Amino acid sequence: MLTVDFSRFPLAPGDRVLDLGCGAGRHAFECYRRGAQVVALDQNADEIREVAKWFAAMKEAGEAPEGATATAMEGDALALPFPDESFDVVIISEVMEHIPDDKGVLAEMVRVLKPGGRIAVTVPRYGPEKVCWTLSDAYHEVEGGHIRIYKADELLEKIREAGLEPYGTHHAHALHSPYWWLKCAFGVDNDKALPVRAYHKLLVWDIMKKPLATRVAEQALNPLIGKSFVAYATKPHLPRLSGTGADAQ
């Protein structure tokens, strides 16, 4: 289940991609399938081991085209172990709401992104997330949990302040908002509640079968109750200084 829409966020074979806070690796796997040179980074060692296993399995199964590469590694989002301007693309999906120093994370992403490079940021959307917080303290008051709810304008302003130029936004996963509202209402750890179990089965069926009816319904509902807010931005090229280089000749 992808949150980033690659029709709005073009990826070329050979692009060097950083999936920052990759979690289980869903976006990293998709980039690998598209022929990118992928680095999946997360601070969770267990998840990184699983992502590495899946990368190896994908290579064995021939799911990635020739020239694609994939690496899974532990790392700190506030101190990325890469030189400046190392990546063509950076993805950070459902991560920034967990990190106290979100401006520091944005600064690190900008540092490792090449001029002209692209970045995709996804966070829980304000409205659906606010409902979850209202229904359940346990939803967010946990170690490593969500520490803030972004308004769209606030996130876009932070992206601009970091030196990036936003070029598009959308919402995603409307069908998942009611599921999390049910989880919060019946208890975030209570997977046995009938409404929660029934809705989970619906979501699994939808992900596996991708029926047209639910695709159309989700597209219609995304602007209203989409669970995630997605923003795309580019890192501008620095203007040439007059009187230097080619301009001086």
Side-chain angles (χ1 to χ4, degrees), residues 45-59:
D46 292 336
E47 287 197 310
I48 285 299
R49 280 191 289 271
E50 286 301 309
V51 170
K53 290 178 183 177
W54 278 105
F55 279 152
M58 290 173 67
K59 182 177 181 180

Side-chain angles (χ1 to χ4, degrees), residues 208-220:
M208 298 299 294
K209 300 296 185 180
K210 297 181 175 63
L212 178 60
T214 55
R215 296 302 90 212
V216 170
E218 184 156 76
Q219 288 298 317

Side-chain angles (χ1 to χ4, degrees), residues 131-152:
V131 173
C132 289
W133 282 46
T134 300
L135 290 171
S136 171
D137 290 337
Y139 171 79
H140 62 97
E141 291 182 356
V142 295
E143 183 178 355
H146 298 183
I147 62 171
R148 69 174 65 82
I149 309 176
Y150 287 102
K151 292 184 177 179

Side-chain angles (χ1 to χ4, degrees), residues 2-48:
L2 299 174
T3 307
V4 172
D5 181 352
F6 286 94
S7 69
R8 309 183 197 212
F9 189 67
L11 193 68
D15 275 351
R16 186 161 165 79
V17 177
L18 173 63
D19 186 1
L20 181 55
C22 65
R26 57 200 172 102
H27 289 106
F29 300 149
E30 180 64 20
C31 294
Y32 189 31
R33 291 188 188 98
R34 289 171 179 261
Q37 298 175 5
V38 184
V39 177
L41 183 143
D42 201 285
Q43 66 178 3
N44 186 311
D46 292 336
E47 287 197 310
I48 285 299

Side-chain angles (χ1 to χ4, degrees), residues 4 57-58 63 92 109 124 127 145 167-168 181 188 208 229 243:
V4 172
M58 290 173 67
E63 289 189 37
I92 184 166
M109 289 190 289
Y167 69 83
W181 297 339
V188 290
M208 298 299 294
F229 174 71

